[in-house]
């Protein structure tokens, strides 16, 4: 590239990624890591050649309203793009890309971690030990339930859903049922049983793990009605997007004994967590850790950079979503 393109990066990124971006571009980094305001995002779209945002940035139509035609690409750091108004981005002349693949294994690992943590009471146990409230081992104390051999329902059968299914089958001998809007190929199913409707999958599972994209189409996909279809001994795990679950309905189901527990990595109003969840011993609550390893986050940054370079060089970016 002959000229150095101006790229605005919305949050702090792993140092290796920031160095690689600075080498290629006239880059505006965010060393303080404070999320950009709507006005700052608007300014970036109006004055830069590219924006590298992430899940904490709300890129509404308002942000794209001020577009001057300069910004060519919004290279999202992350696979989910439900925080971006894609139609508005396209109207403003911006290509939108994401970073799939590189975070699949870590996110799938975290879903399994949550299943184990909830079923084995790891969260409650850890809290008790730290609080000095553990007074010793006993044959009938702290009895959780086994994950191995149980039935898992996977909702959303893309890369991460498939990686979770593989772990569950191969690592834990689980029977796996799956539902998603489009029927996967036989190759992708690979021993997983396809179920035609979500409502008929729910009563059959011991653990339900969510892997759909976020956004209007999946908002409250798991609502009070669907929670009521789960067996009372079932556990819900969400590493997808918070608003896929009606959090208030989840709190009601747990409080009413209609669901045995939940493992959550994402929330409807992040970073705010429903107060009805905070005091419960039968839930494990993580701070959106799905892709939070140095390996994934570095690879995500490098993938975003690869997408930027492709657009600026006039090539089709590998991960175009709009
Ligand atoms: C994603 O990739 O969408 C994650 O939720 C952010 O790390």
């Amino acid at each position: 590239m002959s000229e150095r393109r101006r790229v605005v990066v919305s949050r702090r990124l792993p140092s290796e990624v920031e160095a690689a971006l600075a080498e290629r571009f006239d880059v505006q980094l965010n060393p303080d890591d404070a999320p950009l305001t709507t006005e700052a995002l608007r300014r970036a779209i109006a004055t830069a050649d590219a924006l590298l945002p992430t899940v904490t940035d709300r890129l509404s139509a308002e942000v794209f309203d001020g577009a001057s035609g300069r910004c060519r690409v919004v290279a999202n750091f992350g696979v989910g793009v439900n925080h971006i108004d894609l139609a508005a981005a396209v109207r403003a002349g911006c290509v939108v890309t994401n970073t799939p693949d590189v975070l699949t294994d870590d996110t799938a690992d975290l879903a399994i971690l949550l299943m184990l943590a909830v079923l084995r009471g790891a969260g409650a146990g850890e809290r008790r030990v730290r609080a000095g409230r553990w007074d010793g081992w006993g044959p009938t104390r702290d009895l959780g339930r086994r994950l191995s051999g149980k039935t898992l329902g996977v909702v959303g059968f893309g890369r991460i859903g498939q990686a979770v299914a593989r772990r569950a089958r191969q690592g834990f001998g689980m029977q796996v049922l799956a539902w998603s809007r489009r029927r996967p190929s036989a190759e992708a199913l690979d021993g997983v049983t396809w179920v035609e409707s979500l409502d008929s999958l729910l009563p059959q599972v011991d653990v339900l793990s969510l892997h759909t994209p976020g956004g209007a189409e999946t908002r409250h996909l798991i609502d009070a009605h669907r929670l009521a279809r789960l067996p009372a001994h079932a556990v819900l795990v969400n590493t997808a997007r918070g608003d896929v679950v009606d959090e208030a309905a989840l709190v009601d189901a747990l409080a009413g004994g209609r669901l045995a527990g939940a493992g959550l990595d994402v929330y409807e109003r992040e970073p705010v967590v429903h107060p009805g969840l905070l005091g419960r011993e039968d839930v494990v609550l993580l701070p959106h850790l799905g892709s939070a390893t140095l390996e994934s986050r570095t690879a995500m940054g490098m993938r975003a950079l690869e997408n930027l370079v492709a657009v600026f060089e006039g090539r089709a970016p590998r991960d175009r979503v709009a």
Side-chain angles (χ1 to χ4, degrees):
M1 270 171 287
S2 47
E3 57 190 297
R4 280 168 73 81
R5 310 284 187 161
R6 180 170 152 72
V7 176
V8 173
V9 177
S10 76
R11 298 292 302 267
R12 200 163 173 194
L13 299 180
S15 49
E16 191 183 327
V17 177
E18 291 190 343
L21 286 165
E23 203 173 295
R24 276 186 170 266
F25 303 118
D26 167 16
V27 68
Q28 177 186 310
L29 299 173
N30 183 352
D32 297 335
D33 202 30
L36 299 187
T37 60
T38 301
E39 186 41 41
L41 291 167
R42 250 177 89 84
R43 205 164 38 246
I45 293 291
T47 61
D49 298 297
L51 174 64
L52 197 158
T54 191
V55 60
T56 51
D57 302 306
R58 216 172 84 71
L59 299 187
S60 59
E62 189 190 344
V63 167
F64 292 100
D65 275 353
S68 60
R70 176 167 176 182
C71 184
R72 306 253 316 274
V73 47
V74 173
N76 186 57
F77 179 93
V79 69
V81 289
N82 57 306
H83 55 290
I84 304 174
D85 185 328
L86 297 178
V90 170
R91 277 197 306 275
C94 297
V95 165
V96 181
T97 62
N98 68 348
T99 60
D101 306 318
V102 291
L103 45 64
T104 299
D105 284 337
D106 286 330
T107 309
D109 289 352
L110 198 87
I112 298 286
L113 181 157
L114 282 170
M115 292 175 203
L116 284 166
V118 176
L119 285 172
R120 300 299 302 271
E126 213 259 356
R127 283 188 289 279
R128 216 169 55 255
V129 172
R130 280 181 186 274
R133 286 188 284 104
W134 182 43
D135 60 359
W137 188 89
T140 57
R141 290 183 172 189
D142 300 323
L143 301 185
R145 282 177 305 133
R146 179 182 297 162
L147 180 65
S148 294
K150 294 289 195 313
T151 299
L152 170 67
V154 173
V155 174
F157 205 63
R159 295 177 191 82
I160 299 173
Q162 290 173 36
V164 169
R166 242 183 343 266
R167 283 159 173 72
R169 289 185 66 242
Q170 295 171 7
F172 297 90
M174 298 178 81
Q175 187 198 346
V176 183
L177 310 178
W179 175 84
S180 62
R181 258 168 303 166
R182 261 171 311 181
R183 190 191 182 108
S185 65
E187 191 191 2
L189 281 170
D190 187 29
V192 170
T193 304
W194 173 254
V195 179
E196 291 281 343
S197 89
L198 178 55
D199 283 347
S200 61
L201 174 138
L202 297 172
Q204 304 183 54
V205 305
D206 301 304
V207 179
L208 187 74
S209 194
L210 307 181
H211 302 287
T212 62
E217 286 182 24
T218 54
R219 185 166 190 280
H220 290 186
L221 181 71
I222 305 299
D223 58 6
H225 157 81
R226 295 241 160 82
L227 288 166
R229 294 190 68 80
L230 286 165
H233 72 265
V235 155
L236 173 74
V237 166
N238 189 7
T239 54
R241 280 293 180 263
D243 60 4
V244 177
V245 177
D246 179 341
E247 228 166 63
L250 173 63
V251 169
D252 278 353
L254 290 164
R258 299 187 300 281
L259 189 70
L264 306 176
D265 189 42
V266 287
Y267 306 89
E268 267 200 87
R269 282 170 289 278
E270 289 182 23
V272 176
V273 177
H274 193 295
L277 292 169
L278 292 172
R280 299 200 65 85
E281 292 293 13
D282 52 6
V283 299
V284 174
L285 307 173
L286 298 181
H288 201 145
L289 293 180
S291 64
T293 65
L294 182 60
E295 292 91 335
S296 270
R297 293 282 167 86
T298 303
M300 288 159 72
M302 293 306 187
R303 189 80 169 234
L305 179 133
E306 193 187 314
N307 286 318
L308 289 174
V309 171
V311 172
F312 290 144
E313 289 182 351
R315 289 181 285 111
R318 181 168 171 188
D319 307 309
R320 183 171 185 163
V321 292

PDB file of all heavy atoms in Angstrom, residues 55 78-80 103 241 288 291 297 300, ligand 1:
ATOM      1  N   VAL A  55     -17.406  -5.902  20.585  1.00  0.00           N
ATOM      2  CA  VAL A  55     -18.767  -6.145  21.081  1.00  0.00           C
ATOM      3  C   VAL A  55     -19.299  -5.043  22.020  1.00  0.00           C
ATOM      4  O   VAL A  55     -20.506  -4.856  22.118  1.00  0.00           O
ATOM      5  CB  VAL A  55     -18.814  -7.543  21.762  1.00  0.00           C
ATOM      6  CG1 VAL A  55     -17.850  -7.630  22.938  1.00  0.00           C
ATOM      7  CG2 VAL A  55     -20.196  -7.935  22.194  1.00  0.00           C
ATOM      8  N   GLY A  78     -14.169  -9.857  16.888  1.00  0.00           N
ATOM      9  CA  GLY A  78     -15.162 -10.740  17.501  1.00  0.00           C
ATOM     10  C   GLY A  78     -16.008 -11.348  16.403  1.00  0.00           C
ATOM     11  O   GLY A  78     -16.086 -10.803  15.290  1.00  0.00           O
ATOM     12  N   VAL A  79     -16.646 -12.461  16.738  1.00  0.00           N
ATOM     13  CA  VAL A  79     -17.444 -13.133  15.713  1.00  0.00           C
ATOM     14  C   VAL A  79     -18.871 -12.568  15.647  1.00  0.00           C
ATOM     15  O   VAL A  79     -19.454 -12.442  14.583  1.00  0.00           O
ATOM     16  CB  VAL A  79     -17.408 -14.677  15.912  1.00  0.00           C
ATOM     17  CG1 VAL A  79     -18.144 -15.107  17.162  1.00  0.00           C
ATOM     18  CG2 VAL A  79     -17.962 -15.394  14.705  1.00  0.00           C
ATOM     19  N   GLY A  80     -19.436 -12.207  16.809  1.00  0.00           N
ATOM     20  CA  GLY A  80     -20.808 -11.683  16.848  1.00  0.00           C
ATOM     21  C   GLY A  80     -20.846 -10.250  16.332  1.00  0.00           C
ATOM     22  O   GLY A  80     -19.984  -9.440  16.663  1.00  0.00           O
ATOM     23  N   LEU A 103     -11.678 -18.271  17.640  1.00  0.00           N
ATOM     24  CA  LEU A 103     -12.123 -18.311  19.036  1.00  0.00           C
ATOM     25  C   LEU A 103     -13.022 -19.512  19.323  1.00  0.00           C
ATOM     26  O   LEU A 103     -13.525 -19.677  20.433  1.00  0.00           O
ATOM     27  CB  LEU A 103     -12.835 -17.001  19.412  1.00  0.00           C
ATOM     28  CG  LEU A 103     -13.863 -16.434  18.432  1.00  0.00           C
ATOM     29  CD1 LEU A 103     -15.049 -17.327  18.253  1.00  0.00           C
ATOM     30  CD2 LEU A 103     -14.280 -15.052  18.858  1.00  0.00           C
ATOM     31  N   ARG A 241     -25.149 -14.991  23.390  1.00  0.00           N
ATOM     32  CA  ARG A 241     -25.456 -13.588  23.644  1.00  0.00           C
ATOM     33  C   ARG A 241     -26.527 -13.547  24.729  1.00  0.00           C
ATOM     34  O   ARG A 241     -27.457 -14.365  24.734  1.00  0.00           O
ATOM     35  CB  ARG A 241     -25.977 -12.893  22.374  1.00  0.00           C
ATOM     36  CG  ARG A 241     -24.886 -12.484  21.423  1.00  0.00           C
ATOM     37  CD  ARG A 241     -23.985 -11.383  21.993  1.00  0.00           C
ATOM     38  NE  ARG A 241     -22.924 -10.975  21.096  1.00  0.00           N
ATOM     39  CZ  ARG A 241     -21.667 -11.422  21.131  1.00  0.00           C
ATOM     40  NH1 ARG A 241     -21.302 -12.328  22.032  1.00  0.00           N
ATOM     41  NH2 ARG A 241     -20.754 -10.967  20.292  1.00  0.00           N
ATOM     42  N   HIS A 288     -18.158 -12.695  30.597  1.00  0.00           N
ATOM     43  CA  HIS A 288     -17.984 -12.759  29.137  1.00  0.00           C
ATOM     44  C   HIS A 288     -16.540 -13.173  28.783  1.00  0.00           C
ATOM     45  O   HIS A 288     -15.802 -12.412  28.148  1.00  0.00           O
ATOM     46  CB  HIS A 288     -18.351 -11.418  28.488  1.00  0.00           C
ATOM     47  CG  HIS A 288     -18.685 -11.535  27.034  1.00  0.00           C
ATOM     48  ND1 HIS A 288     -19.643 -10.760  26.408  1.00  0.00           N
ATOM     49  CD2 HIS A 288     -18.196 -12.346  26.060  1.00  0.00           C
ATOM     50  CE1 HIS A 288     -19.709 -11.074  25.123  1.00  0.00           C
ATOM     51  NE2 HIS A 288     -18.837 -12.051  24.885  1.00  0.00           N
ATOM     52  N   SER A 291     -13.954 -15.890  24.620  1.00  0.00           N
ATOM     53  CA  SER A 291     -12.745 -15.845  23.778  1.00  0.00           C
ATOM     54  C   SER A 291     -11.544 -15.301  24.549  1.00  0.00           C
ATOM     55  O   SER A 291     -10.520 -14.964  23.937  1.00  0.00           O
ATOM     56  CB  SER A 291     -13.003 -14.952  22.561  1.00  0.00           C
ATOM     57  OG  SER A 291     -13.241 -13.615  22.977  1.00  0.00           O
ATOM     58  N   ARG A 297      -7.459 -13.979  21.617  1.00  0.00           N
ATOM     59  CA  ARG A 297      -7.572 -12.528  21.412  1.00  0.00           C
ATOM     60  C   ARG A 297      -6.491 -12.021  20.450  1.00  0.00           C
ATOM     61  O   ARG A 297      -6.723 -11.097  19.670  1.00  0.00           O
ATOM     62  CB  ARG A 297      -7.522 -11.804  22.757  1.00  0.00           C
ATOM     63  CG  ARG A 297      -8.742 -12.104  23.645  1.00  0.00           C
ATOM     64  CD  ARG A 297      -9.974 -11.323  23.211  1.00  0.00           C
ATOM     65  NE  ARG A 297     -11.188 -11.808  23.818  1.00  0.00           N
ATOM     66  CZ  ARG A 297     -11.657 -11.435  25.015  1.00  0.00           C
ATOM     67  NH1 ARG A 297     -10.999 -10.560  25.743  1.00  0.00           N
ATOM     68  NH2 ARG A 297     -12.792 -11.942  25.466  1.00  0.00           N
ATOM     69  N   MET A 300      -7.656 -13.132  17.015  1.00  0.00           N
ATOM     70  CA  MET A 300      -8.783 -12.312  16.566  1.00  0.00           C
ATOM     71  C   MET A 300      -8.280 -10.990  15.993  1.00  0.00           C
ATOM     72  O   MET A 300      -8.741 -10.515  14.945  1.00  0.00           O
ATOM     73  CB  MET A 300      -9.747 -12.054  17.732  1.00  0.00           C
ATOM     74  CG  MET A 300     -10.538 -13.278  18.143  1.00  0.00           C
ATOM     75  SD  MET A 300     -11.199 -13.149  19.838  1.00  0.00           S
ATOM     76  CE  MET A 300     -12.497 -11.929  19.631  1.00  0.00           C
TER      77      MET A 300
HETATM   78  C1  LIG B   1     -17.514 -12.563  20.041  1.00  0.00           C
HETATM   79  O1  LIG B   1     -16.542 -12.907  19.369  1.00  0.00           O
HETATM   80  O2  LIG B   1     -18.577 -12.245  19.538  1.00  0.00           O
HETATM   81  C2  LIG B   1     -17.341 -12.540  21.513  1.00  0.00           C
HETATM   82  O3  LIG B   1     -18.511 -12.557  22.203  1.00  0.00           O
HETATM   83  C3  LIG B   1     -16.510 -11.338  21.920  1.00  0.00           C
HETATM   84  O4  LIG B   1     -15.325 -11.838  22.319  1.00  0.00           O
END
